[in-house]
Amino acid sequence: MNSPKYSPPLLDRWLATFLQYGTWVACAVIAAGLVLNAATGAGMLDAKDARWATTVVTAGVGLFVLLPILRVTLMLAIFAQQRNRRYVAIAATVLAIIAVGCVLGTRLGPVGG
Amino acid sequence: MLYSATIAIFPVDQPRHTMSLTVTLWLFFAGLGSSALGGMLGMASGLFIVPMLVVLFHLDLHVAIGASIVSVIACSCGGAANFLRHGLTNVRLALVLETGTTLGALTGVLVAGLIPVAALDFLFAVVLLVSAWQMYIRRADPVGTASASRSGLAAALNLHSSYRDPRLNRDVPYEVRRVPAGLSLMYVAGLVSALLGIGSGILKIPAMDHALRLPIKVSTATSNFMIGVTAAASAGAYFLRGEIVSAIAGPVALGSVIGAVIGARVLMKVSNEKLRLLFLSVLVLVACAMLLQGFGIDLTPAHHR
């Protein structure tokens, strides 16, 4: 007898879809930047386009850094929709800690000198 | 000083904004190899990426950590979907524990500049040896079926849950114990993650197994889910202050995502005793390499010149 196919909760499904597509987009952006760089190196594009290649790779890296932060924001929104105040507060705390880390970390300057 | 070690990557006669194709390819394969190895072990890739970038590519430790932390996020996000769709991740518990890991990461960002590079090399070696020890003793599902407290923090936060066991084809209920103790251990894991650019999955195991008493499948999935946010807490600060060199982090992260997929597939097929011992030896060897690095002994001086 076949048992019914397992279906995870809505929150889990949304998070899975978001993280999967987010990973693909960030990978595609980095790959596009690297291809652009290779094309510049091979002389197929103008040398000044190399700057663009680095910018595109940086955007892809930034997207990866942003992805988990957006994931917590998505969780906050879903918990808010479910009127789960306790978890809205926990998600907001995590986001606040990350924000404080970014502000304080940036003010301290690079560790390498 | 930060960029001094990237001279090998960006030759002096080359403009800083261009990336050497050969080096980019090597970095891509370094990420792919490290991540495939990590994936085969069921670990994050960071444990191998940092030593590889420092020992073989002669990069500054902070540049290597910046590149590694991005690939750790990439692997966590890439692997999370599968665990979520199989109902193995406890997302509520992950969010609660992330308050501990992000606080630890915040501390790590603040103290990272104060700790000498040699001390970080030694700390890395210790984490590798702890990982080897974890591999040696192996993990087992926590025993004991005594019912958890109905009035504790776990009950108040509705953390008790169930996971889908594909073999039994039914939901297996489990209870979450000692959340405050788990949170304290997560703080330490977050701190080490920010300092060393690793996922710290290996340091989350004691918290997951001994404090929270989670089934292995749930703790593996929940730990992987949390790693992304833990790493992003420090990566955000490192990225904003320009410490992540995208020409290095980009190809390494891209290689890592592909490597993690390959590693996970191999893990399904060849998980045997010999493989476990081989990886245990690799971990000990890499730990020795990082110890030598900490003592200032260059293992590949010929490449350096």
Side-chain angles (χ1 to χ4, degrees):
Chain A
M1 190 184 82
N2 286 333
S3 56
K5 194 172 179 289
Y6 172 72
S7 177
L10 183 73
L11 174 63
D12 296 36
R13 288 205 305 268
W14 276 45
L15 291 172
T17 308
F18 174 76
L19 290 174
Q20 190 177 25
Y21 285 111
T23 306
W24 283 121
V25 171
C27 280
V29 173
I30 291 176
L34 295 178
V35 169
L36 202 62
N37 177 65
T40 315
M44 291 159 72
L45 289 171
D46 200 66
K48 66 181 182 217
D49 291 325
R51 200 179 293 275
W52 276 104
T54 311
T55 308
V56 174
V57 175
T58 307
V61 169
L63 210 55
F64 262 131
V65 175
L66 210 57
L67 209 53
I69 301 169
L70 290 176
R71 185 267 277 175
V72 180
T73 313
L74 177 67
M75 286 176 85
L76 188 145
I78 295 173
F79 283 127
Q81 198 189 28
Q82 294 172 348
R83 298 185 191 284
N84 190 339
R85 285 185 195 166
R86 210 167 272 181
Y87 274 91
V88 168
I90 295 170
T93 307
V94 173
L95 287 175
I97 295 169
I98 296 172
V100 169
C102 287
V103 172
L104 288 182
T106 314
R107 289 197 174 182
L108 277 178
V111 292
Chain B
M1 183 189 131
L2 179 67
Y3 297 114
S4 61
T6 60
I7 289 167
I9 305 295
F10 303 102
V12 185
D13 56 340
Q14 196 175 325
R16 274 216 27 90
H17 50 79
T18 59
M19 302 174 271
S20 150
L21 181 61
T22 318
V23 175
T24 300
L25 278 174
W26 274 115
L27 288 168
F28 173 82
F29 285 113
L32 192 142
S34 306
S35 190
L37 194 60
M40 277 189 256
L41 288 161
M43 291 174 181
S45 52
L47 275 180
F48 298 108
I49 286 179
V50 174
M52 199 178 279
L53 293 181
V54 169
V55 177
L56 297 183
F57 288 79
H58 292 101
L59 285 173
D60 182 285
L61 184 66
H62 292 298
V63 175
I65 287 170
S68 172
I69 204 96
V70 176
S71 75
V72 162
I73 296 174
C75 290
S76 163
C77 293
N82 195 33
F83 288 129
L84 283 162
R85 290 204 176 103
H86 285 89
L88 295 173
T89 315
N90 187 333
V91 292
R92 285 194 306 275
L93 176 64
L95 193 62
V96 170
L97 296 177
E98 275 162 9
T99 55
T101 60
T102 48
L103 257 183
L106 169 66
T107 315
V109 167
L110 297 181
V111 301
L114 306 173
I115 301 174
V117 167
L120 291 177
D121 286 332
F122 291 133
L123 180 61
F124 209 108
V126 169
V127 171
L128 283 161
L129 290 173
V130 170
S131 309
W133 175 249
Q134 292 278 6
M135 276 222 95
Y136 177 70
I137 56 171
R138 268 189 264 179
R139 295 167 69 196
D141 271 319
V143 287
T145 51
S147 187
S149 165
R150 290 273 150 212
S151 56
L153 193 57
L157 293 171
N158 193 23
L159 294 176
H160 305 313
S161 184
S162 62
Y163 72 97
R164 187 73 175 177
D165 192 316
R167 256 183 332 149
L168 303 172
N169 206 14
R170 68 176 175 86
D171 290 341
V172 180
Y174 62 89
E175 289 172 334
V176 180
R177 317 287 171 96
R178 299 194 289 162
V179 176
L183 264 172
S184 315
L185 290 167
M186 288 298 166
Y187 174 82
V188 179
L191 174 67
V192 174
S193 167
L195 287 179
L196 302 182
I198 58 173
S200 268
I202 209 77
L203 298 178
K204 290 184 177 116
I205 290 174
M208 297 279 193
D209 287 7
H210 304 298
L212 303 163
R213 318 270 307 160
L214 297 177
I216 286 182
K217 283 181 181 174
V218 177
S219 67
T220 305
T222 308
S223 167
N224 169 79
F225 188 69
M226 288 164 54
I227 281 171
V229 171
T230 311
S234 52
Y238 295 155
F239 184 76
L240 288 176
R241 66 188 187 200
E243 227 156 86
I244 294 177
V245 184
S246 56
I248 296 162
V252 172
L254 194 61
S256 297
V257 174
I258 298 166
V261 175
I262 297 170
R265 294 221 168 141
V266 175
L267 178 70
M268 302 275 183
K269 287 178 185 167
V270 284
S271 187
N272 59 31
E273 193 62 16
K274 275 184 186 166
L275 207 59
R276 198 174 71 91
L277 286 172
L278 172 74
F279 291 142
L280 211 152
S281 325
V282 172
L283 280 170
V284 174
L285 273 176
V286 179
C288 292
M290 286 309 279
L291 274 177
L292 291 174
Q293 190 78 29
F295 285 117
I297 301 166
D298 194 350
L299 290 173
T300 54
H303 291 279
H304 204 33
R305 280 180 215 121

